Amino acid sequence: RSLIQIAEKLLAQFAPLAGALVTLARALGIAPDALWTEHAFQMGVSLEVMLFSLALAQRIELLRQEKQQAQQRAETDPLTGLFNRDGLSRRVEDLRDRQIPHALMVVDLDRFKPVNDQLGHEAGDAVLIAVAERMQALVRAEGDIVARIGGDEFVLVLGGVTQPTDAGAVASKLRTSLAAAIPTPAGEARIGASIGIALAPGDGHHFARLLQFADQAMYRSKQDGRNRWHYGGDRHGHPVEPPAAG
């Protein structure tokens, strides 16, 4: 592609000169007296303008792609490929701007530190990648968002969800999915998840407030024995837990 661009640039630079030489040759009787020789210089200038316009358009498109890629890198967690906090914030605020109700879940992994301590950081990374994949497998192709916002803290956003029970059903599925053994280079790892849920717009309109409510609910899950989920927000006087396993 770079060779083509160089050729286009050279052609653009020499087009007016070539046109001028043809015009001179016509005046000296060397070139035939024809319409194309009469307007050779104008044609060369027109070609120059066209080629430079094409080069400018290509440059603008390249800059746009580079900006888009830089923004994508800035909003992406490098380990899991999920959105990071910045990418998540931007998309949740977009849901708010479009007045789309949604549920926001903070998912904090239980028993993750022993995986790092006993099996090593490579195993820990494998667990985080597996968690990301399992979370993505539970969401819909459009309207839902999965992000990693901390070491072992993830967020799941369900677009269009208005009922706490719908969010709770997904939380239960997610809890079950994450409880299954995860293969790592150092052996199988088993973790759990403490989950807190906030609903927009009932629990708040802005990302920071929703995240705070869901985070508080997640800590209640931790305090109540881990591996469960709670609702957050003032609308729910009592946390709701999933039914006991088995």
Side-chain angles (χ1 to χ4, degrees), residues 139-169:
V139 302
R140 297 161 296 184
E142 296 181 3
D144 296 342
I145 307 164
V146 184
R148 179 185 175 218
I149 62 172
D152 61 348
E153 193 170 31
F154 295 78
V155 170
L156 173 59
V157 177
L158 304 173
V161 170
T162 58
Q163 299 300 319
T165 51
D166 293 336

Side-chain angles (χ1 to χ4, degrees), residues 2 15 30 42 45 131 145 162 168 179:
S2 59
I30 300 174
Q42 294 92 325
V45 172
V131 168
I145 307 164
T162 58

Side-chain angles (χ1 to χ4, degrees), residues 65-141:
Q65 292 177 359
E66 290 176 348
K67 181 180 179 181
Q68 186 178 40
Q69 291 170 357
Q71 183 175 355
Q72 184 176 6
R73 288 193 297 270
E75 295 183 346
T76 302
D77 172 52
L79 176 64
T80 62
L82 301 177
F83 291 119
N84 59 18
R85 184 181 291 264
D86 290 339
L88 173 66
S89 174
R90 181 178 177 183
R91 281 150 187 84
V92 171
E93 293 298 337
D94 179 63
L95 291 176
R96 183 207 66 187
D97 293 342
R98 291 189 289 151
Q99 298 183 342
I100 298 176
H102 50 280
L104 186 148
M105 301 183 191
V106 171
V107 182
D108 192 87
L109 303 185
D110 300 326
R111 303 186 302 276
F112 177 72
K113 187 176 183 301
V115 173
N116 268 335
D117 293 344
Q118 298 172 15
L119 300 181
H121 290 286
E122 186 179 359
D125 287 348
V127 168
L128 294 173
I129 293 171
V131 168
E133 292 172 348
R134 293 182 185 186
M135 291 183 68
Q136 287 177 309
L138 286 177
V139 302
R140 297 161 296 184

